[in-house]
């Protein structure tokens, strides 16, 4: 579904991403995990074409992402960020339908999609008429998800979508999101810095550190066959049951 070949990115002297190869399988959920500043968002932003790599290529399906096709390809990708990224001066419903309107989709189709999505993410119609700041953080993320799903993308990228929520709301939304991903059978990449969350969503976990992928595997792989001591250190720091004691 997505293939990164030798992509890298630096900002001035700072390397955000060393050359990275990564394949994201179709129809599954992959979790991208690592500490703050390790390049998770940069990697995701490259896939959605918001950051252009200094080296290498990004493939979406069969196509190499270029300046010429980025806009069209982006319409096939849903993208959700931590605070929802909703426009504050538009109502939630307006946020959700903005791109579909801009693309000239028929009003009846947009309205039907809006209704179906509000049922899917459990957002009542009256909440959709409000502005984003008039909703709770959890509701805003539900609206952010509606917006990302509006054009029925094959690929859904979520950058720490639940990072700003309180533990109870977060737990609820984790459960619902997972059910939604399974129901829609989309290709999903979810960024998190929480191993419990990564393992809940995905069997396939990609662990990053300082702009590199250090290991990819299941939680059991990371626990039992750590690629480097850092992996075990990370598991301990996350208090993952069974994490090895320091040597
Ligand atoms: N637009 C930017 N300008 C300069 N440095 C950036 C920019 N975006 C990211 N970086 C740097 O690149 C590195 C990786 O950032 P990021 O991908 O946001 O990490 P993460 O999402 O894992 O926290 C960090 O050192 C960050 O400061
Ligand atoms: Mg980030």
């Amino acid at each position: 579904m997505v293939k990164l070949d030798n992509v890298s990115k630096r900002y001035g002297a700072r390397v955000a991403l060393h050359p990275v190869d990564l394949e994201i399988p179709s129809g599954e959920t992959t979790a991208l995990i690592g500490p703050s500043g390790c390049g998770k968002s940069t990697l995701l932003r490259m896939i959605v074409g918001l950051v252009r790599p200094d080296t290498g290529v990004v493939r979406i399906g069969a196509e190499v992402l270029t300046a010429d096709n980025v806009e069209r390809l982006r319409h096939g990708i849903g993208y959700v960020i931590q605070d929802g990224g909703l426009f504050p001066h538009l109502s939630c419903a307006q946020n959700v339908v903005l791109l579909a309107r801009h693309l000239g989709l028929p009003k009846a189709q947009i309205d039907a999609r809006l209704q179906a999505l509000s049922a899917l993410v459990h957002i009542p119609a009256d909440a959709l008429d409000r502005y984003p700041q008039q909703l709770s953080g959890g509701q805003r993320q539900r609206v952010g998800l509606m917006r990302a799903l509006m054009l029925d993308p094959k690929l859904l990228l979520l950058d720490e979508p639940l990072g700003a929520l309180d533990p109870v709301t977060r737990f609820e939304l984790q459960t619902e999101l997972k059910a939604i991903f399974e129901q829609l059978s989309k290709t999903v990449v979810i960024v998190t810095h929480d191993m419990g969350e990564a393992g809940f969503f995905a069997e396939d976990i990609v662990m990053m550190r300082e702009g590199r992928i250090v290991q990819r595997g299941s939680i059991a792989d990371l626990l039992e066959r750590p690629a480097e001591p850092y992996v075990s250190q990370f598991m301990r720091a996350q208090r993952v049951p069974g994490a090895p004691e320091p040597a």
Side-chain angles (χ1 to χ4, degrees), residues 202-205 215-223 225 235:
E203 259 175 59
D204 182 19
I205 297 172
Q215 189 165 357
R216 178 176 195 166
S218 63
I219 292 224
D221 293 327
L222 300 174
L223 281 175
R225 289 170 289 280
M235 301 303 266

Side-chain angles (χ1 to χ4, degrees), residues 72-130:
R72 175 172 54 82
L73 289 180
R74 199 180 286 162
H75 295 160
I77 304 175
Y79 180 52
V80 180
I81 58 175
Q82 181 166 326
D83 66 359
L86 300 171
F87 293 114
H89 61 286
L90 297 179
S91 74
C92 290
Q94 286 168 332
N95 265 283
V96 173
V97 304
L98 190 64
L99 182 58
R101 284 232 175 109
H102 172 74
L103 295 175
L105 268 65
K107 186 177 182 310
Q109 185 186 333
I110 294 177
D111 289 348
R113 184 82 184 136
L114 190 65
Q115 277 204 356
L117 288 172
S118 87
L120 179 75
V121 307
H122 300 118
I123 278 281
D126 67 301
L128 283 179
D129 292 333
R130 282 183 251 149

Side-chain angles (χ1 to χ4, degrees), residues 1-246:
M1 182 77 213
V2 178
K3 196 159 180 280
L4 307 183
D5 270 327
N6 198 44
V7 295
S8 68
K9 179 72 191 174
R10 55 169 73 220
Y11 293 102
R14 174 183 290 140
V15 177
L17 213 56
H18 292 281
V20 159
D21 296 324
L22 182 67
E23 257 184 77
I24 305 291
S26 172
E28 287 170 39
T29 299
T30 303
L32 204 55
I33 191 164
S36 186
C38 72
K40 306 180 296 295
S41 295
T42 301
L43 206 155
L44 220 60
R45 291 167 65 84
M46 267 179 188
I47 299 173
V48 76
L50 294 170
V51 166
R52 203 192 291 195
D54 297 334
T55 65
V57 291
V58 176
R59 283 193 182 75
I60 310 285
E63 289 183 87
V64 172
L65 192 63
T66 66
D68 293 329
N69 63 18
V70 61
E71 196 166 319
R72 175 172 54 82
L73 289 180
R74 199 180 286 162
H75 295 160
I77 304 175
Y79 180 52
V80 180
I81 58 175
Q82 181 166 326
D83 66 359
L86 300 171
F87 293 114
H89 61 286
L90 297 179
S91 74
C92 290
Q94 286 168 332
N95 265 283
V96 173
V97 304
L98 190 64
L99 182 58
R101 284 232 175 109
H102 172 74
L103 295 175
L105 268 65
K107 186 177 182 310
Q109 185 186 333
I110 294 177
D111 289 348
R113 184 82 184 136
L114 190 65
Q115 277 204 356
L117 288 172
S118 87
L120 179 75
V121 307
H122 300 118
I123 278 281
D126 67 301
L128 283 179
D129 292 333
R130 282 183 251 149
Y131 290 97
Q133 65 272 24
Q134 295 172 324
L135 300 188
S136 69
Q139 287 176 318
R140 268 198 298 278
Q141 287 309 73
R142 290 170 195 268
V143 174
L145 184 65
M146 285 177 69
R147 186 174 64 173
L149 292 172
M150 185 70 199
L151 298 181
D152 200 17
K154 287 204 179 89
L155 174 63
L156 191 57
L157 308 176
L158 306 106
D159 194 346
E160 305 203 34
L162 310 176
L165 304 178
D166 67 83
V168 173
T169 306
R170 185 174 181 158
F171 181 88
E172 262 175 33
L173 256 179
Q174 281 169 341
T175 313
E176 281 188 45
L177 273 181
K178 187 173 175 183
I180 289 172
F181 297 163
E182 279 165 9
Q183 186 184 336
L184 302 178
S185 57
K186 303 238 178 250
T187 304
V188 177
V189 182
I190 183 163
V191 169
T192 174
H193 54 248
D194 183 276
M195 190 54 80
E197 185 166 282
F200 177 72
F201 282 114
E203 259 175 59
D204 182 19
I205 297 172
V206 177
M207 192 188 283
M208 294 181 64
R209 178 198 192 188
E210 294 175 359
R212 290 190 170 87
I213 292 174
V214 293
Q215 189 165 357
R216 178 176 195 166
S218 63
I219 292 224
D221 293 327
L222 300 174
L223 281 175
E224 292 157 25
R225 289 170 289 280
E228 51 180 84
Y230 174 79
V231 174
S232 301
Q233 193 188 336
F234 191 91
M235 301 303 266
R236 273 198 298 282
Q238 297 263 324
R239 303 192 192 287
V240 177
E245 297 298 321

